[in-house]
Structures are given as structure tokens and as C-alpha cells.
Amino acid sequence: MAHPAEAAPPPVWSDAESYVKSVKEEYVAQPYIYQEFLNVLNAWAGGSCPIPQVISRVGQLFEGRRHLIEGFNMFLPEGKKMTQDTIDRLAQGE
């Protein structure tokens, strides 16, 4: 069964801007989490952090915030998207 995000059109720049803004707003009282998220994104974009590590770190940073974990999934390449089980596990902090 396909995950709904897999059938969606690829995100555009405005989706990314909106998502990053929502992360910043979510962690306004914890700016170090937002900054670490940006560090993870930069490491991924620079090729120094493989996708499994990115997923793990994002899950740790966003523990308990399912909407942020699910939102991040739309930016992962096809074939690397998180399954619903993975999203559930990360949202619960496992």
C-alpha cells in the first residue's frame, strides 16, 4: 500500500520555505532545536549525512511532533520516504 506522500506531486520551493518556517515557529522557545535541524539539512545537502541518519536525527529532534515528521517525509526522495510504521515509531520516540 502506497504512503499518501508518495502519490503527491514533488514539493516546490514554497513548500520547503513554509515547512522550515513551521519548524522555526514550533521551536521558538527552543531555538537550539531549530538550529540543529538546519545543521542536519545542511549536512544532508552537502552529502555528509546519509538519508537514514537524517531520518533518525529528524525523528529525535521532532519527537512527539508527528506533523513535523510527516511533513519532512515529503522532501525525501522516492524510495527513501518513511513508512507509516517508521513515522509512528519516531513520533513516539522509539
Side-chain angles (χ1 to χ4, degrees), residues 5-32:
E6 292 175 350
V12 294
W13 182 252
S14 61
D15 294 331
E17 286 180 316
S18 177
Y19 177 74
V20 171
K21 182 180 177 186
S22 71
V23 171
K24 185 175 185 176
E25 290 169 355
E26 185 85 17
Y27 291 103
V28 71
Q30 298 169 299
Y32 57 91

Side-chain angles (χ1 to χ4, degrees), residues 25-42:
E25 290 169 355
E26 185 85 17
Y27 291 103
V28 71
Q30 298 169 299
Y32 57 91
I33 293 178
Y34 173 71
Q35 186 58 54
E36 182 59 22
F37 172 66
L38 294 180
N39 292 342
V40 170
L41 290 183
N42 286 330

